[in-house]
Amino acid sequence: MSKLWGGRFTKQTNHLVEEYTASINFDKALAEEDIQGSLAHVTMLGKCGILPAEDVETIKEGLITVLHKIRAGEVEFSVSDEDIHMNIEKNLIETIGPVGGKLHTGRSRNDQVATDMHLYLREHVVGFVGMLHSLQEALIGQAKDNLDTIVPGYTHLQRAQPILFAHHLMAYVSMFQRDAERLMDSYKRINILPLGAGALAGTTFPIDRHFVAEQLGFDGVYENSLDAVSDRDFIVEFLAAASLIMTHLSRLSEELVLWSSTEFGFVELDDAFCTGSSIMPQKKNPDVPELVRGKTGRVYGNLIGLLTVLKSLPLAYNKDMQEDKEGMFDTVATLEGALQLFAPMIATMTVNKDRMRQAVNQDFSNATDIADFLVGEGLPFRQAHEVIGKTVLYCIQNSKYLLDLTIDEFRQFSPLFDDRIYDVLQPEAVVNARNVYGGTASGQVAEAIGRSEKVLEITEQWITNRG
């Protein structure tokens, strides 16, 4: 039999079965990780006296040769060899002869593939923390440039209260910080070694799992061999974290689409991140945020897909678990594409401060501050609320805004009004009146930026230590 496992069988595998069950078309992405794990494994086999030193060196040299061939595009992966593990092993045997078959001593494809995915995700999680770091820096950069830019704040997509545009941007810095922290926390569970668990029960060979873990930079090993080969929690956790990142990117995308429309006109995205229309020459379309918004659904789907695969699987390994990879690879590619684009898109975004100020001057988002003024004069808030409601209604009926009213017009709704109300209603005064921790006052926002920059320094150190 041509199969490396073919001794038990009397017939060749049906070619349709080969095509249906093979994973090489997608798990070839794990080639580097597979060889990395194999090099550590065979080194351990030599250290423990399980393989003679000359065999170990021959296998290691062969693995390096195969790796170079793969990088050079000289290896043709075969569906008949099922997966990346069998393809590499077959190429190794073709390169160095039968001694290559000794590489699989003391391990199974079950613990091998789990190790590959731990190595793969470990590297990408660090990369994603770095990309989030870059996006946060871009947002903070825009926030610093807009500490004096006032924009309407919204609830229900209706103008609510004026806020600093910097304050709005810093909300996303906080969101992405939580995302980074989730990824950094997940790293603890990704950085555990399953190799040495065998197919499900361990191995009869006197291997040293902790030595392999040390070689590969893992913090520890799985305590239970069944759990080691059947655990995909670390992938689910990554997909969940990625889904939240995409949620936050999608929310920001929606705002960029709105803000860059003619109706809002708050920002303009750089030409490098927009496209045009094949029929309408005046169009400048925010395709990047639109597509990020759209691709969020596929990331959600990958999470739900894997959870569904795992929900009724008995221990230990089952072929169903082959479905853990395509969604993971797709999510990595989707998230990577989005984050790589978002940081420079935000950094090069032009903010239309005058248009934002015009919007603030032409709404009633300062109405709450009139109520607060009346409360300060002794009027109960509920009565003050009613007074302002009537005042706003009067303005609407007479095509005026609050700052357009004369003091006599104000006093027809309450005798407590005096000339101080005009200072209270100024957008800068409204913003800076929210001078509480986490509020939109300029001093509070400046302090928030400083705190975030210190947090980013800690994140940068984390990335450096694991890079």
Side-chain angles (χ1 to χ4, degrees), residues 181-235:
E181 289 172 2
R182 270 185 283 271
L183 289 175
M184 289 188 286
D185 188 68
S186 74
Y187 186 93
K188 294 184 292 187
R189 287 167 289 285
I190 293 171
N191 206 34
I192 302 296
L193 177 71
L195 200 63
L200 77 162
T203 177
T204 59
F205 294 95
I207 63 173
D208 186 343
R209 296 181 64 203
H210 291 89
F211 174 77
V212 177
E214 184 178 346
Q215 278 194 293
L216 293 173
F218 284 101
D219 294 327
V221 302
Y222 274 83
E223 293 291 328
N224 183 285
S225 60
L226 284 166
D227 184 42
V229 297
S230 63
D231 172 38
R232 294 298 183 270
D233 293 0
F234 67 102
I235 301 179

Side-chain angles (χ1 to χ4, degrees), residues 351-369:
V351 177
N352 190 342
K353 300 184 180 186
D354 292 339
R355 178 69 188 92
M356 290 181 177
R357 181 56 182 248
Q358 181 185 8
V360 170
N361 289 338
Q362 295 179 347
D363 64 23
F364 298 99
S365 59
N366 49 1
T368 303
D369 289 72

Side-chain angles (χ1 to χ4, degrees), residues 227-277:
D227 184 42
V229 297
S230 63
D231 172 38
R232 294 298 183 270
D233 293 0
F234 67 102
I235 301 179
V236 171
E237 191 171 0
F238 164 71
L239 294 177
S243 294
L244 277 170
I245 295 171
M246 290 299 292
T247 298
H248 297 150
L249 288 174
S250 185
R251 295 184 74 176
L252 181 51
S253 292
E254 172 70 7
E255 296 201 305
L256 291 174
V257 171
L258 289 172
W259 290 342
S260 61
S261 68
T262 301
E263 285 69 21
F264 277 77
F266 289 172
V267 303
E268 182 177 357
L269 300 180
D270 190 85
D271 286 359
F273 299 96
C274 295
T275 63
S277 167

Side-chain angles (χ1 to χ4, degrees), residues 382-441:
R382 284 304 166 203
Q383 293 181 33
H385 189 285
E386 182 180 358
V387 167
I388 305 312
K390 292 178 179 179
T391 307
V392 169
L393 178 59
Y394 173 85
C395 287
I396 293 172
Q397 291 172 339
N398 291 274
S399 300
K400 293 185 176 185
Y401 295 104
L402 291 170
L403 280 170
D404 297 329
L405 299 182
T406 66
I407 192 63
D408 290 334
E409 286 176 305
F410 272 117
R411 284 177 175 160
Q412 66 181 314
F413 299 104
S414 173
L416 297 175
F417 284 118
D418 59 38
D419 288 341
R420 290 175 296 162
I421 194 61
Y422 295 108
D423 292 330
V424 169
L425 288 174
Q426 295 299 323
E428 287 79 8
V430 173
V431 166
N432 288 314
R434 274 74 186 166
N435 190 26
V436 295
Y437 190 94
T440 191

Side-chain angles (χ1 to χ4, degrees), residues 34-46 60 63 103 107 193 195 208 211-216:
D34 198 72
I35 291 176
Q36 183 183 358
S38 292
L39 286 167
H41 177 70
V42 74
T43 300
M44 178 273 295
L45 293 177
K60 289 170 72 172
L63 285 169
L103 172 62
R107 73 176 183 184
L193 177 71
L195 200 63
D208 186 343
F211 174 77
V212 177
E214 184 178 346
Q215 278 194 293
L216 293 173

